[in-house]
Amino acid sequence: MGRSPRSLNGGLGHQEKVLPEFVCMVYEKEGSSSKKASVHPLPLFSCSQDVRINNRRTFVRLSILLGFILVAVIFTALYTVPIIPTWLKSRVGAWSKMCGTNRGWQDSSVVDIKTRPEDLANDSRMMHEIPQYVLDYAPLVHLYSEEQFWPCDIKEHLFHVTPELNYTPIRELPQLNLSNLDQLNQFEKGRHVFLTSNDNVENRPDWLGGQINIPDDFSDDSNTDHSDSRATSARFRKLSHGGHSDAPAVLLTINKGDGIVDAFWFFFYSYNLGNVVFNVRFGNHIGDWEHTLIRFQHGKPQVVFVSEHFFGSAYSYSAVEKIGIRPIVYSAVGTHAMYATPGTHPYILPLGILHDETDRGPLWDPALNSLTYTYNHVTDTLCASNRTPDAPTRWFYFAGKWGDKFYPINDNRQYGFAGEYHYVNGPLGPRFKNLGRRKVCQGRYSDPCDIKDQLDAGEVRVWPGLGEGDDWPDPGMRPPGFSEDGED
């Protein structure tokens, strides 16, 4: 018996009738003629159909692979490409967290406060006492080694300015000081009052530079055991001499319930030297408020926030550099923007690339000289703390700007391009820095707040644009009692 053809079910030796439409006919050429070759039964498709289905399967597999690659690229880009809009990051944030690609974290017990704010409004103890751990973990600030504009005393600053309303000096006022500055709020609620320099700032008068406030040389005993106790903290401050500046920092502590205490450290400079793009400088202004926030939960530091221009960055306490137990932050040359690392901090903007620069210059210990307060963010009440009980408070309520108003374009000191200007408005004071924030980040509550668990040296950020400078904050970021138009 001859060899039987292979059956359709894959068996051998069973002769079955093979339908023509299921057979692929192979022809062999012999000279000019062709003859029919052997018949080979195939699966239930023709040869051309078989090729197409194989191609289709390959296409599907490649599509799936490319899809996975695309998803990976998108989630990676969300944290490395600065031009992606914030709204897109916020929508994808939940997906990236589920997929394990989020570099940071959002601990709900830290960033989202559940206690009702009104429950804290009448607690007198909270309104006067600053916990010892706030000073134990006070930040240390590396100023830039070639800085020209050093920390300044807000009291001294007031001797060199005159309040102006619509570029017109306000006359017949007593000498301004920290105990009567809020009297300026009688003029249009203070909103359009600017503390204007008595000198032409182009001449760089000495008071702008704050040279007398350069911190003393700082040294530390790295072998000191900095445990969480009052005695050890005192020992640390004794052994770690230096770092003192004659310009006092401002400390505001806010008890927000659920064991959460925010410690805001504010640093004041009389002049902000703007960034340079293509050898053109933008963003100079008189007066400069910067801050670092340390959020505690049950006496333990959880998050460190550093302000950068109109925004900032948040890090877990474990991520930042420290001397002993105290976080180290860095102040950029000229702009004094705060960062968690030394080095170059680039930004992308329509005009090109600009950057801030930080290094390990003089180390400033703000805990050695500071005005210390407690603040009730519900009642908008500032109290001198038990540590500096004589500290003046009325300056805090001034609702105007701590520097000159944006110079008109016809002023020979002014120029602008693409919405950026050489001189911009002076800043609002600490009261308008969203002190009641539930998240540690400075923006609106609806904005994403990524708490990074690693330092991000070399990260490229998107420049937000200064425009004419600091302006009235969004309604959700204003102190209590301010309406939509900023009036009490």
Side-chain angles (χ1 to χ4, degrees):
M1 181 180 294
R3 185 181 299 273
S4 63
R6 185 182 301 266
S7 66
L8 291 179
N9 63 9
L12 293 174
H14 297 282
Q15 295 186 10
E16 297 180 4
K17 184 178 181 180
V18 180
L19 298 176
E21 59 268 30
F22 297 142
V23 177
C24 176
M25 306 299 295
V26 180
Y27 292 86
E28 298 176 352
K29 287 188 177 181
E30 293 183 356
S32 60
S33 63
S34 298
K35 68 176 183 178
K36 186 180 296 185
S38 57
V39 177
H40 300 284
L42 292 175
L44 302 176
F45 299 97
S46 68
C47 289
S48 59
Q49 289 174 322
D50 191 35
V51 171
R52 285 197 298 270
I53 197 64
N54 285 335
N55 289 341
R56 188 177 298 112
R57 288 172 179 169
T58 302
F59 175 77
V60 171
R61 289 173 184 146
L62 287 175
S63 298
I64 294 173
L65 178 61
L66 290 174
F68 278 117
I69 293 174
L70 180 61
V71 170
V73 169
I74 289 174
F75 284 124
T76 302
L78 285 171
Y79 295 98
T80 58
V81 179
I83 60 174
I84 293 179
T86 300
W87 64 264
L88 179 57
K89 289 188 179 184
S90 64
R91 282 163 173 73
V92 182
W95 304 341
S96 62
K97 191 170 183 180
M98 291 171 59
C99 296
T101 60
N102 196 348
R103 293 187 306 157
W105 53 274
Q106 292 195 14
D107 183 347
S108 61
S109 65
V110 176
V111 300
D112 197 0
I113 302 166
K114 301 178 180 63
T115 298
R116 296 185 309 159
E118 55 268 25
D119 294 340
L120 307 174
N122 298 315
D123 191 326
S124 59
R125 179 182 58 83
M126 292 181 180
M127 290 306 298
H128 293 282
E129 295 184 9
I130 291 181
Q132 177 62 34
Y133 59 76
V134 169
L135 297 179
D136 292 343
Y137 292 96
L140 297 166
V141 184
H142 268 299
L143 302 170
Y144 194 73
S145 56
E146 298 181 11
E147 181 62 73
Q148 302 176 57
F149 301 98
W150 302 90
C152 291
D153 187 340
I154 55 176
K155 178 181 178 180
E156 176 70 18
H157 183 78
L158 296 182
F159 284 105
H160 302 282
V161 297
T162 297
E164 289 190 357
L165 187 64
N166 297 323
Y167 301 107
T168 302
I170 300 174
R171 304 296 185 186
E172 300 181 357
L173 289 174
Q175 172 61 47
L176 296 178
N177 58 55
L178 299 180
S179 297
N180 67 9
L181 191 60
D182 63 326
Q183 69 180 312
L184 297 177
N185 292 345
Q186 65 182 294
F187 304 98
E188 298 187 10
K189 303 295 183 180
R191 179 173 178 178
H192 302 292
V193 176
F194 289 78
L195 302 181
T196 305
S197 171
N198 295 332
D199 303 287
N200 184 350
V201 296
E202 296 277 277
N203 297 330
R204 299 293 192 266
D206 290 343
W207 64 272
L208 286 182
Q211 296 285 336
I212 62 175
N213 301 316
I214 298 176
D216 302 332
D217 291 338
F218 183 96
S219 64
D220 75 287
D221 182 355
S222 59
N223 295 320
T224 302
D225 179 17
H226 304 302
S227 60
D228 190 14
S229 71
R230 186 184 301 266
T232 301
S233 176
R235 180 178 174 225
F236 174 61
R237 289 195 294 275
K238 181 178 179 181
L239 292 176
S240 300
H241 59 278
H244 178 278
S245 172
D246 288 337
V250 174
L251 168 62
L252 302 179
T253 61
I254 308 174
N255 192 317
K256 294 184 176 178
D258 291 340
I260 295 176
V261 171
D262 282 352
F264 287 85
W265 291 88
F266 283 95
F267 314 111
F268 182 77
Y269 308 81
S270 284
Y271 192 72
N272 178 100
L273 185 66
N275 295 102
V276 173
V277 182
F278 299 137
N279 294 320
V280 179
R281 192 175 298 279
F282 295 93
N284 295 346
H285 56 84
I286 313 302
D288 189 18
W289 283 102
E290 303 291 344
H291 72 274
T292 291
L293 162 62
I294 301 179
R295 172 162 287 183
F296 297 87
Q297 187 174 35
H298 305 302
K300 302 295 184 182
Q302 300 293 326
V303 185
V304 177
F305 173 83
V306 290
S307 64
E308 303 162 10
H309 306 287
F310 291 149
F311 46 100
S313 298
Y315 301 87
S316 63
Y317 169 76
S318 61
V320 299
E321 291 184 39
K322 303 173 189 69
I323 292 180
I325 60 174
R326 300 179 65 179
I328 298 176
V329 295
Y330 296 83
S331 175
V333 59
T335 68
H336 313 119
M338 310 295 292
Y339 296 92
T341 58
T344 300
H345 309 276
Y347 292 85
I348 291 179
L349 78 167
L351 302 178
I353 296 292
L354 59 76
H355 66 273
D356 280 322
E357 189 76 24
T358 59
D359 68 8
R360 300 183 189 276
L363 193 61
W364 179 16
D365 183 354
L368 297 179
N369 182 21
S370 56
L371 302 172
T372 63
Y373 302 92
T374 60
Y375 178 65
N376 188 313
H377 63 293
V378 179
T379 61
D380 192 26
T381 303
L382 185 78
C383 294
S385 80
N386 57 327
R387 299 180 183 275
T388 55
D390 296 326
T393 59
R394 301 314 305 172
W395 65 269
F396 176 80
Y397 295 98
F398 169 54
K401 308 293 180 63
W402 284 74
D404 292 22
K405 187 174 182 178
F406 167 87
Y407 296 157
I409 201 66
N410 60 359
D411 190 311
N412 59 14
R413 297 170 294 183
Q414 183 68 291
Y415 54 78
F417 179 72
E420 302 294 318
Y421 296 91
H422 186 47
Y423 281 99
V424 299
N425 290 333
L428 292 161
R431 187 186 181 203
F432 299 92
K433 303 303 181 183
N434 197 12
L435 301 177
R437 67 186 75 165
R438 297 174 65 189
K439 297 179 180 180
V440 293
C441 298
Q442 188 171 354
R444 295 179 295 270
Y445 182 71
S446 58
D447 293 340
C449 181
D450 180 30
I451 302 174
K452 303 170 186 176
D453 54 15
Q454 59 184 358
L455 297 178
D456 55 358
E459 178 184 6
V460 179
R461 298 163 169 83
V462 177
W463 182 249
L466 296 178
E468 296 184 6
D470 202 359
D471 202 355
W472 204 253
D474 291 344
M477 300 167 60
R478 297 173 187 171
F482 282 83
S483 61
E484 292 293 318
D485 61 357
E487 309 237 341
D488 286 325

